Amino acid sequence: MKPTFQPYPLGHSINGSPHSVCVSLPTMADVIGYEEKEARVLEAFEAGYPRFFLNPLIAELASRLSREGVMDEEDPLLPTQSAAADLCHYLNLDPERAVPVLSLWTVRLPEGQDIRAATRAFLQHTGCGISSREAESQLEQHFGEAPHPEERAPGHPDEHLSYIRSRLHSIYGTLVESDIHIFRSGMNAFYSGFRAIQAVQMERKRDLWIQLGWLYVDTSRILEKFSLDGADPVQIYNVMDFSELENVLHREGHRVAGIVTEVPTNPLVQTPDVEALRALADKYRAALILDPTLVSPHNVNILSYSDLHINSLTKYAASSADVMMGAIALNGHSRFYDDLREKVAAFGTAPASGDLARMALQIQHYPDTIKAINATTVEVAAFLETHPGVKQLYWARSQPSAYNYNWLQHLESGPGGILTFTTNKPLREFYDRCNFVKSPSFGTRFTMMCPFMYLAHYDLVSTPQGRYVLLGHGVDPDLIRLSIGLEPAGAIISELERTL
């Protein structure tokens, strides 16, 4: 009998779309080859996660413009003058290097690999680069290229934006729909929110940020790279014990601008006591940024505890894995509300019209998607919890944070789709045999998995010292993060049983 899940070849675009955000890394050798920048791996890619991979449509547009002498092929394409100016400031370049190209912008970079690497890092962390649909539109308008057919919601971009906001308003519970701001990626939403709070708190002579928990890598990088000089962020990894946090606030509370955490955290799926966290933030007049993306705001209601609510719509809302988007929701009862309402959109970049049309189509299925994923996750978690091949399982209902999580349950009242676990066999042996889609991201209609720490923190997992650091913070370097899709629970369990 053939296995239920068929293997995907290296570099394969999972959904066949030129706008795919998922690409297959079928073996650990491929994962390591990707991190080591092996030509064998990189040349096989048809697509990839847009903040880490230059989509072929964007590369083709840059190549066409280069041949016409409009720009250097290796210079970045950006959607707005503001984004180009932001990049110039980050790179300490003359603002005059930002120039318009068609209806887009570029920055004329000086020669040197270091500055090009810094540019790629900026685009990765801030998520402000152009989208593949923007590139496709430019290729169609200026070079006569036929666009790839795909289904999109009918109507005008303003209608799409309004529809997306209205759907999110019913989930988040904002006072008004205008308290929701939409950006071109989840990281661009976080970047804009962080910069907005930073601008507000600078006026109050507050410059220090606290990261609570082992958070997604680019969240940490924004705190590290965009904090003010002399204000290196404080990283506190234990989200279940606030004693260290309380000590830092007691010592530095007068200068703390904000506290950032995920609810639950990625990848350990731990939920802090947000009520106690809110009380601490209030006591020291710090802003609190909360992000429920890992499980979806359909499952946890945390807007009332946050000053800024960040959500990547790339996950769950865009479950076909072919459009990037993010949202900020403002808490109308926050002490920062009036200040943030004026500033929160200033640092980010709005989505392209094609991406809005695609999201408006997919977000219609958001409630049914998360409901189905929730139900399947419960069944798969029950299997993994008792399987002898599983060393440790982390999910939203794991102890000791299950009480904190369950207390926040909302609408669908489910656990979301993330199950992180370690196995009793070598990582390579399990990973290479398994036939799930093997790719980063999560919240898709199809089940997928990845060796999360290898893709997010290869610098740590690839050295004995780094692995020692991870283990010291309670993070196993060989974690597998499984994102449950819409397949039958029995099919997912059967594949896990075959490979565990």
Side-chain angles (χ1 to χ4, degrees):
M1 179 184 295
K2 291 184 178 180
T4 303
F5 292 86
Q6 300 295 323
Y8 282 84
L10 171 64
H12 181 77
S13 173
I14 303 306
N15 54 18
S17 168
H19 311 296
S20 175
V21 306
C22 295
V23 66
S24 176
L25 290 165
T27 69
M28 284 303 299
D30 297 326
V31 172
I32 293 169
Y34 168 76
E35 293 294 339
E36 298 282 357
K37 304 294 186 288
E38 291 181 12
R40 170 191 70 85
V41 176
L42 299 183
E43 291 171 2
F45 275 26
E46 296 177 355
Y49 204 73
R51 290 188 299 101
F52 298 85
F53 176 79
L54 184 63
N55 184 277
L57 289 167
I58 299 175
E60 175 62 20
L61 177 60
S63 177
R64 292 284 190 98
L65 293 171
S66 174
R67 292 200 295 272
E68 292 196 352
V70 175
M71 62 175 284
D72 188 294
E73 187 171 355
E74 294 190 18
D75 287 346
L77 284 166
L78 297 118
T80 64
Q81 183 178 7
S82 176
D86 214 5
L87 175 59
C88 286
H89 181 267
Y90 179 78
L91 297 174
N92 293 315
L93 296 178
D94 186 332
E96 295 298 318
R97 286 183 175 270
V99 295
V101 177
L102 304 180
S103 60
L104 304 172
W105 284 76
T106 190
V107 173
R108 301 196 189 284
L109 299 177
E111 291 298 321
Q113 291 302 313
D114 289 347
I115 201 158
R116 297 190 185 280
T119 299
R120 290 192 295 271
F122 176 86
L123 295 174
Q124 174 189 322
H125 303 325
T126 65
C128 70
I130 72 166
S131 78
S132 55
R133 289 183 179 86
E134 277 174 307
E136 185 177 56
S137 177
Q138 296 292 323
L139 286 167
E140 179 186 9
Q141 292 177 38
H142 299 283
F143 299 101
E145 292 287 329
H148 297 82
E150 72 170 0
E151 189 178 2
R152 299 180 183 180
H156 188 272
D158 289 344
E159 296 175 309
H160 301 145
L161 179 59
S162 177
Y163 178 71
I164 293 166
R165 277 179 167 164
S166 69
R167 297 304 295 257
L168 296 178
H169 172 63
S170 67
I171 301 168
Y172 299 159
T174 45
L175 291 182
V176 291
E177 288 183 15
S178 59
D179 286 341
I180 297 171
H181 299 261
I182 307 299
F183 300 88
R184 60 182 45 227
S185 67
M187 286 317 306
N188 194 242
F190 178 77
Y191 173 73
S192 184
F194 164 79
R195 293 287 304 276
I197 290 178
Q198 186 177 61
V200 171
Q201 293 287 55
M202 279 173 60
E203 299 171 0
R204 299 163 186 170
K205 302 188 185 308
R206 290 173 172 267
D207 60 355
L208 188 65
W209 285 84
I210 298 175
Q211 170 188 318
L212 181 62
W214 194 279
L215 307 184
Y216 178 63
V217 60
D218 281 312
T219 299
S220 298
R221 295 295 177 266
I222 286 176
L223 295 177
E224 292 168 4
K225 294 178 180 293
F226 295 95
S227 288
L228 300 176
D229 290 343
D232 293 339
V234 176
Q235 296 177 321
I236 300 172
Y237 295 107
N238 190 345
V239 302
M240 302 309 299
D241 180 359
F242 283 178
S243 57
E244 185 179 357
L245 174 62
E246 289 170 343
N247 288 337
V248 171
L249 288 170
H250 179 73
R251 185 174 66 249
E252 303 282 1
H254 63 284
R255 59 179 291 220
V256 172
I259 303 168
V260 179
T261 194
E262 297 160 346
V263 185
T265 58
N266 181 13
L268 293 180
V269 206
Q270 295 178 326
T271 303
D273 182 343
V274 294
E275 187 173 35
L277 187 57
R278 178 71 265 171
L280 284 171
D282 287 340
K283 179 179 178 180
Y284 292 95
R285 307 186 73 80
L288 184 57
I289 299 181
L290 300 180
D291 182 346
T293 296
L294 198 73
V295 297
S296 159
H298 263 288
N299 286 319
V300 289
N301 184 0
I302 58 173
L303 177 65
S304 62
Y305 298 101
S306 61
D307 296 298
L308 211 61
H309 177 287
I310 307 290
N311 182 206
S312 173
L313 303 177
T314 310
K315 286 78 173 179
Y316 300 113
S319 57
S320 291
D322 60 9
V323 61
M324 302 275 284
M325 208 163 291
I328 285 176
L330 298 179
N331 176 1
H333 302 292
S334 164
R335 66 161 52 92
F336 298 96
Y337 178 71
D338 289 336
D339 290 323
L340 290 176
R341 189 171 50 174
E342 301 300 321
K343 290 183 170 65
V344 76
F347 301 97
T349 311
S353 59
D355 296 315
L356 285 169
R358 183 64 178 162
M359 177 62 77
L361 180 76
Q362 293 192 44
I363 203 170
Q364 301 175 56
H365 309 294
Y366 194 0
D368 292 338
T369 297
I370 196 66
K371 184 175 182 178
I373 287 174
N374 281 337
T376 301
T377 300
V378 171
E379 291 190 54
V380 178
F383 166 79
L384 291 173
E385 281 181 325
T386 58
H387 195 284
V390 176
K391 185 191 305 182
Q392 181 73 50
L393 172 68
Y394 307 88
W395 68 307
R397 292 177 177 164
S398 294
Q399 297 298 342
S401 72
Y403 174 80
N404 293 339
Y405 181 82
N406 293 336
W407 189 67
L408 298 169
Q409 292 284 270
H410 178 53
L411 293 178
E412 295 299 337
S413 299
I418 295 298
L419 300 170
T420 303
F421 60 96
T422 53
T423 67
N424 286 318
K425 62 173 59 174
L427 173 61
R428 185 184 298 263
E429 184 178 336
F430 169 74
Y431 183 86
D432 288 4
R433 289 191 64 222
C434 201
N435 286 332
F436 293 131
V437 170
K438 297 169 184 175
S439 187
S441 195
F442 61 90
T444 58
R445 301 176 64 83
F446 46 87
T447 294
M448 61 197 307
M449 74 178 197
C450 69
F452 183 81
M453 303 309 291
Y454 278 78
L455 291 170
H457 298 281
Y458 186 70
D459 58 326
L460 294 176
V461 299
S462 58
T463 66
Q465 298 90 338
R467 295 175 76 88
Y468 178 80
V469 169
L470 290 172
L471 291 169
H473 290 301
V475 182
D476 192 312
D478 293 339
L479 285 173
I480 289 287
R481 192 183 70 181
L482 182 68
S483 172
I484 300 299
L486 297 182
E487 303 92 344
I492 298 170
I493 290 171
S494 176
E495 180 64 12
L496 287 167
E497 195 162 34
R498 183 184 72 83
T499 51
L500 282 170

